[in-house]
Structure formats: C-alpha cells, structure tokens
Amino acid sequence: MLGTVARMLQHADMFHPYPRAFLYGIALYFILSSIMDGPGAFLSSWLGVPVSPHFDQPWLSSSVVTFWSRRWDLAAGNVLRQLIYEPIVEKKIIGSAAATSASEKITASSSSSLFETGKGDEIAATGPLTTQKITETRKRAAATTPQVLQTTASQSLQWRRVFGSSASFLSSGLVHECIFWYLTGHTSGGAWLLFFTIQIPIIFVERTVLHYLKQRGIRVSRPVMTLYTVVFECVTSAHLFWRSAEQAGLVKKVVSNVDVAYSKYLRVIDVVVGQGQSEIGRQVRALAPVWLRTATSRIFSAL
C-alpha cells in the first residue's frame, strides 16, 4: 500500500492540494507504522508481550480531539500526556496538592471564623429575633459554602485542562519545527508550529458547539463528524504542514526514497518467492499462497 501511494505521489501535481494532503497523510501513516508497528508486531509475536499500536485507524476519528488523543501517533501523544498534560492538570508543575489543601483549610477556617468570632457578644446584644436570623444565616452559609468550593475547584480543573492541552500542542509544534530544521537546515517559517497551534482553538470551539447541541437534544451522526475531522485536517495540513514540506523539497525526497526502497523490496520478494533456488527460497515458495506469487510476479513485471 505504501508503495502504491508513493507511485501516485510521483505525480502529485495532478492532484488538488486537499486530496494530495490526504495522500501525504496516508503515506506518513504507513511510513511510521512500518517503522514502529512492524518491529513491535514481530517482538510481540516472538516474546509474547502485547505492544500498544502506534496508530488506531486515524481516518475514523469522530472529532479533532479524538484524532490527536486516541487515533494519531499514540506514542508521541503518551509522551506529551505524561510529561506536559498530566503534570499541569494534576498541579505537579503549577502549585502543589499540599498548598491547595492548605489554602482550602485556610478558606474554610476563615469562613467559619466569620460566624464564630464574637458570637456571644452578638447574641447578648441583639436578642432572640436577631439570634434566630443569625442561626438561619449560618445554616445557609454552611449549605452553600461546599457548593461554591466545588464549583471553584471544577472551574480550576477545566482551566488547567485547557492550559495543559495548549502547552502540549505548542510543545509538539516546537519539536516539529526542530525536526524540519534538522531535515532541511532551516525552519518552516513557523508554519508547522502554527499548524499545531491552530488545533487549540478549534478543539475549544468543537467542544463548545457539541455541548450546546447536546443540551438541546441534537446529536450529530458519526459519519458527519468523521468527514468534518478528515476535511479539517486535510485543509489545515495542506496549507500549513505539507506546503512548507513541498517548498523545501522534503516531500519529493521522501517519496523518491520510498519508491526506490519499494522497488528493491519487490525485486527481493520476486527473487525469493518466484525464482530463488536456495533452500530458503524453496521453503518460502512452498508456504506462499498462489495468489501471492502471482501478484508479486505481475507487480514485478510492471516495474
């Protein structure tokens, strides 16, 4: 499949930028899968140890946040989650749990002392009617204070999640800028950084709109959400990610190298499966199904 896509991308100028971006994404998916999932599958079968996949069918993503968090490049996502997102959300970088607990105790103590201090003087000076009002006020305060604290804690958690996601995307953009510089000798002019940065407001808008629709009983079908996600990533990557790679000649080099490697691979397979005279060749030919030998020979003859 990778070789087929590479052959198609040899004539990439024939495609519109958006379908071309989709093909680039598929090619990148196969390249990274071959590098990561291929050896992982071999080690998993050899050692009997389960290995997490590098991707999980990213073309089936039902939202932008699902695409990045559960479908695309899971290894990088796990690294960003453990090093950046979780420390921020769990306040291991910003503040500490001990400090938060202490501040909550001080707040509770202050709220309590507001009604406790001078209690005897208030009752002595005001009489039974005001004493009853003070008691009712204390009860209402005792009932509402936990709700206020819970709401404040929930809002704080939401803001830490937003900040953690933003920091993760910004870090990923900076790392990709370094990769671009390493491969080409110069940066993308901030295009790759902008590609990852623009995901932040889109995810925020996406969640807000979906929450608004859910409150009104409107449910967007999964095919529609999948189409929206794929189109959005193709459009943004075409203008910000792949255009810079094309202008730097990076795409052309990668496609050419993949095509050459694929041709050599087919020749080796053809020699081993179809023409090899060694003992290994005979064993492979005996085990290989007829359709594999036929398909390989036809592909090799077409090169």
Side-chain angles (χ1 to χ4, degrees):
M1 186 66 181
L2 175 59
T4 303
V5 174
R7 290 294 170 88
M8 294 174 65
L9 291 177
Q10 290 284 3
H11 310 282
D13 295 338
M14 298 173 55
F15 297 95
H16 188 274
Y18 300 154
R20 190 163 69 239
F22 180 79
L23 290 176
Y24 285 155
I26 293 296
L28 183 60
Y29 162 78
F30 280 114
I31 290 173
L32 295 178
S33 293
S34 300
I35 295 174
M36 303 296 295
D37 292 339
F42 173 75
L43 292 175
S44 178
S45 60
W46 182 37
L47 300 176
V49 178
V51 178
S52 300
H54 200 67
F55 296 90
D56 186 14
Q57 298 177 314
W59 52 86
L60 297 180
S61 302
S62 58
S63 65
V64 175
V65 65
T66 302
F67 176 83
W68 291 109
S69 63
R70 300 180 183 178
R71 297 284 188 175
W72 181 266
D73 202 352
L74 300 180
N78 289 333
V79 172
L80 290 172
R81 184 181 297 109
Q82 294 177 11
L83 295 182
I84 298 177
Y85 180 80
E86 290 181 353
I88 291 176
V89 173
E90 297 174 1
K91 301 205 297 189
K92 295 179 181 178
I93 293 179
I94 303 177
S96 63
T100 304
S101 178
S103 64
E104 291 176 352
K105 290 180 179 179
I106 292 173
T107 303
S109 176
S110 301
S111 301
S112 177
S113 62
L114 181 64
F115 299 101
E116 296 282 341
T117 304
K119 179 172 61 176
D121 296 336
E122 291 176 356
I123 294 175
T126 56
L129 182 60
T130 309
T131 302
Q132 182 179 0
K133 291 182 179 179
I134 293 175
T135 304
E136 293 176 355
T137 303
R138 289 174 183 167
K139 291 181 179 180
R140 286 196 299 269
T144 57
T145 299
Q147 297 178 1
V148 172
L149 292 177
Q150 184 177 4
T151 303
T152 303
S154 178
Q155 292 176 348
S156 176
L157 177 60
Q158 292 297 328
W159 279 111
R160 290 200 304 272
R161 287 175 175 173
V162 170
F163 185 71
S165 299
S166 303
S168 298
F169 277 108
L170 286 173
S171 301
S172 181
L174 291 173
V175 169
H176 279 82
E177 284 287 350
C178 294
I179 294 174
F180 192 96
W181 173 81
Y182 176 78
L183 295 175
T184 64
H186 57 85
T187 67
S188 66
W192 279 23
L193 175 61
L194 181 58
F195 169 71
F196 287 96
T197 304
I198 203 174
Q199 310 291 327
I200 302 170
I202 293 300
I203 289 176
F204 178 77
V205 172
E206 177 185 275
R207 286 180 169 176
T208 303
V209 172
L210 291 177
H211 181 70
Y212 175 84
L213 295 176
K214 183 178 180 180
Q215 285 184 328
R216 281 150 183 77
I218 302 175
R219 181 180 179 275
V220 183
S221 63
R222 186 181 182 88
V224 172
M225 290 299 300
T226 300
L227 179 62
Y228 140 75
T229 304
V230 172
V231 170
F232 170 77
E233 294 300 338
C234 287
V235 171
T236 53
S237 64
H239 292 285
L240 297 175
F241 194 88
W242 297 116
R243 178 180 293 178
S244 301
E246 288 177 333
Q247 292 174 349
L250 186 59
V251 171
K252 187 176 182 180
K253 291 179 182 178
V254 173
V255 171
S256 178
N257 291 336
V258 170
D259 185 63
V260 171
Y262 181 65
S263 300
K264 292 181 179 179
Y265 169 76
L266 288 180
R267 283 182 168 84
V268 171
I269 292 297
D270 184 77
V271 169
V272 173
V273 176
Q275 301 173 1
Q277 300 300 321
S278 64
E279 180 63 27
I280 297 178
R282 287 192 293 270
Q283 292 178 3
V284 172
R285 290 199 307 276
L287 295 175
V290 176
W291 65 267
L292 177 59
R293 298 198 301 269
T294 304
T296 306
S297 299
R298 289 179 179 177
I299 294 174
F300 177 72
S301 61
L303 295 178

